[in-house]
Amino acid sequence: MTYTAPRGTRDILPEETPLWQFVEQKAREVFQLYNFHEIRTPIFEHTELFQRGIGADTDIIAKEMYTFQDRKGRSLTLRPEGTAAVVRAYLESNRHKQEPLSKLWYQGAMFRYERPQAGRYRQFYQIGCEVFGRGGAYQDAEVIATAQQLFAAAGLQNLEVQVNSVGCPVCRPRLKEKIQSFLGANLAQLCGDCRTRFGSNPLRVLDCKNPRCNEFLVGLPDLTDALCADCRTHFQSVHDYLDALQLKFQVNPRLVRGLDYYTKTVFEVLSGQLGAQNAVCGGGRYDNLVEELGGPALPAVGFAFGLERAVMLLQGQGAAVPGTLPYIFLLPLGAQADAQAVLLTAQLRRAGVPTEIDLADRGLAAKLKTASKLQARYVYIIGDNELHEKCGQLKDMRSGGQEKIGLAELAEIVAAKHREKN
Ligand code: HAM
């Protein structure tokens, strides 16, 4: 019997991890530039947190959560996203009472019971950020700029930033009414999901992937006309700040998000290279969620991007980041040499040199073959003869050149070569 990874999950194998680490590193660097601080929250939370935070009508709450009971009968859920959990942690740690502005970033596995396909998994990884305490349009633009700088730093090409406003509780009813009255005559023709959404959350109809439903949306009047004065001014200021930051973006009046907490600005970063799952990143403002989750009325804005999708894009562009290889491979030949090599291996690693050792009882040719397969830069061969002279042969695997180096000097000499290379 052999086992496979559960449907919708995958292993990230060592050939791929360097690219993941590269993106993670770029994210860390860019978040630092924008004064974000890392937060780590649990992988599971009380189910109510997500029910309350994400919205009962969303796909996530209706059908995608990994919910289970623990041994005491508490309902827990593997986090489907990071925002609700970060708000919870922000409030629980009383940061809202201590700092007027909090900028938090996070990374980790998220879980959604979705139909798996290219770029869509049931366990996937997000990197995201949330800003608490600033309601002005500048912060929306800055958050979009953070995402944009991060993708540029990682070398992701041909991305498009789309922005829209989904209004606030004052004007949202008007937006909904506009959609309902436009679509009403064709309600019976819409897909089952859209018919349900039509009553509860008609904005989500704009996001339907069913081409037939999209046809009924042709000619839908511009919804920004239905925004209240405050939301309209805010949206215009976001445009102005994005222009001032020299950020390219498109207004997409159909852009809505799959989570219910958004107010005013929403945005996505899209790529034409990803097929159906074309969103690398999504986010927006959510000025009512902190209060909704038991805190004060504090504005917030943030985004998250999917690491699988970012890495897929980089791979599609032919990007490759080499992983670490052993810099030196120690090849002792015989019991006495083995003991010396064990000591030397420890010394080299302490000196910061990536080192591997081959203690197998076999000949030099076989050991050299392994070292070359593992792409070691140098090998150090210790045979019985050399041992008498307290030295070994350092072989440059690229040039094939060989020199005699004392056991006592090896670590220092190789560490110096390694430092030079880096
Ligand atoms: P979201 O749009 O649901 O937003 O997810 C953000 C990103 O996570 C997506 O653009 C996509 O790249 C990735 N993603 C989502 N689902 C999957 C999946 N099943 N497989 C692979 N990748 C996926 C949020 O999660 C919000 N919490 C973002 C946010 C933060 N808004 C404000 N602050």
Side-chain angles (χ1 to χ4, degrees):
M1 164 106 188
T2 54
Y3 295 97
T4 53
R7 185 165 150 75
T9 71
R10 63 191 287 262
D11 302 307
I12 302 151
L13 298 170
E15 294 74 32
E16 219 178 290
T17 43
L19 216 44
W20 282 67
Q21 289 168 351
F22 171 74
V23 177
E24 288 160 3
Q25 178 58 25
K26 291 296 160 195
R28 201 169 288 127
E29 285 168 16
V30 170
F31 282 133
Q32 245 171 39
L33 294 176
Y34 283 80
N35 186 33
F36 281 93
H37 303 274
E38 188 182 357
I39 183 166
R40 301 184 185 198
T41 64
I43 289 210
F44 58 85
E45 297 273 353
H46 294 293
T47 303
E48 291 134 57
L49 174 75
F50 300 119
Q51 283 170 337
R52 196 77 213 250
I54 296 172
D57 292 331
T58 60
D59 287 349
I60 295 182
I61 299 300
K63 51 188 183 193
E64 294 175 358
M65 294 217 291
Y66 280 92
T67 297
F68 59 97
Q69 286 205 340
D70 74 2
R71 285 169 188 276
K72 289 263 169 73
R74 303 175 193 99
S75 180
L76 300 170
T77 293
L78 299 183
R79 59 183 180 196
E81 58 111 43
T83 309
V86 171
V87 173
R88 197 252 327 122
Y90 166 76
L91 290 173
E92 193 172 339
S93 61
N94 276 321
R95 298 187 82 78
H96 57 298
K97 294 188 183 148
Q98 293 148 23
E99 45 190 39
L101 168 70
S102 298
K103 292 171 120 179
L104 304 172
W105 78 273
Y106 53 91
Q107 65 171 328
M110 309 290 159
F111 305 84
R112 294 184 194 173
Y113 193 84
E114 291 194 85
R115 202 166 47 78
Q117 52 175 265
R120 189 160 74 190
Y121 299 94
R122 290 182 173 169
Q123 174 172 336
F124 59 99
Y125 293 83
Q126 278 187 347
I127 292 185
C129 65
E130 315 295 347
V131 179
F132 299 104
R134 268 196 188 159
Y138 167 73
Q139 196 54 57
D140 306 25
E142 193 192 83
V143 156
I144 296 172
T146 312
Q148 197 274 344
Q149 186 162 346
L150 198 158
F151 294 135
L156 285 157
Q157 292 158 7
N158 303 325
L159 297 178
E160 180 173 296
V161 177
Q162 293 192 349
V163 297
N164 192 23
S165 175
V166 292
C168 66
V170 173
C171 52
R172 184 87 44 86
R174 280 214 299 273
L175 293 177
K176 289 184 175 176
E177 262 168 40
K178 256 194 152 172
I179 298 171
Q180 282 166 332
S181 65
F182 182 78
L183 284 174
N186 294 314
L187 179 58
Q189 327 261 14
L190 300 179
C191 74
D193 277 350
C194 284
R195 284 202 302 273
T196 317
R197 289 168 186 153
F198 182 85
S200 54
N201 192 354
L203 260 84
R204 295 278 292 126
V205 176
L206 305 188
D207 196 29
C208 183
K209 300 287 178 273
N210 189 324
R212 209 173 132 68
C213 294
N214 288 336
E215 277 170 31
F216 292 110
L217 288 168
V218 175
L220 178 76
D222 189 350
L223 296 174
T224 38
D225 292 344
L227 293 176
C228 63
D230 181 30
C231 286
R232 215 176 305 163
T233 315
H234 186 95
F235 196 37
Q236 185 53 52
S237 302
V238 173
H239 294 191
D240 295 344
Y241 280 119
L242 288 173
D243 285 338
L245 294 169
Q246 296 180 325
L247 240 155
K248 285 209 188 82
F249 66 96
Q250 299 286 324
V251 175
N252 176 359
R254 297 274 176 82
L255 178 67
V256 288
R257 307 261 307 122
L259 304 109
D260 275 355
Y261 45 63
Y262 293 105
T263 52
K264 297 181 176 165
T265 316
V266 289
F267 73 97
E268 281 188 347
V269 182
L270 306 172
S271 161
Q273 251 175 270
L274 283 171
Q277 304 307 313
N278 62 347
V280 194
C281 172
R285 177 162 282 291
Y286 50 97
D287 286 346
N288 299 323
L289 185 61
V290 177
E291 193 175 13
E292 188 76 19
L293 294 179
L298 267 175
V301 55
F303 71 79
F305 74 92
L307 266 157
E308 285 80 1
R309 296 185 193 177
V311 168
M312 266 171 76
L313 282 177
L314 283 176
Q315 286 168 332
Q317 287 172 204
V321 180
T324 352
L325 299 169
Y327 190 65
I328 182 164
F329 209 134
L330 273 72
L331 310 183
L333 303 165
Q336 269 183 308
D338 282 358
Q340 277 300 335
V342 166
L343 287 178
L344 285 172
T345 300
Q347 262 181 30
L348 281 156
R349 287 176 178 158
R350 277 199 294 269
V353 182
T355 305
E356 195 44 271
I357 180 172
D358 187 348
L359 289 172
D361 184 13
R362 53 192 187 145
L364 180 60
K367 290 194 178 197
L368 277 171
K369 209 164 161 190
T370 308
S372 111
K373 257 206 164 133
L374 295 188
Q375 300 179 51
R377 178 75 180 79
Y378 290 95
V379 298
Y380 189 61
I381 306 156
I382 319 174
D384 277 347
N385 290 345
E386 283 95 347
L387 213 53
H388 288 137
E389 296 173 40
K390 294 203 182 327
C391 65
Q393 293 289 335
L394 184 69
K395 182 177 164 90
D396 184 329
M397 296 293 276
R398 254 182 233 163
S399 68
Q402 207 159 300
E403 60 180 317
K404 208 189 240 184
I405 304 264
L407 299 173
E409 286 83 53
L410 181 77
E412 202 180 311
I413 291 173
V414 173
K417 283 182 194 289
H418 182 250
R419 270 198 303 277
E420 218 171 89
K421 169 207 136 198
N422 289 319

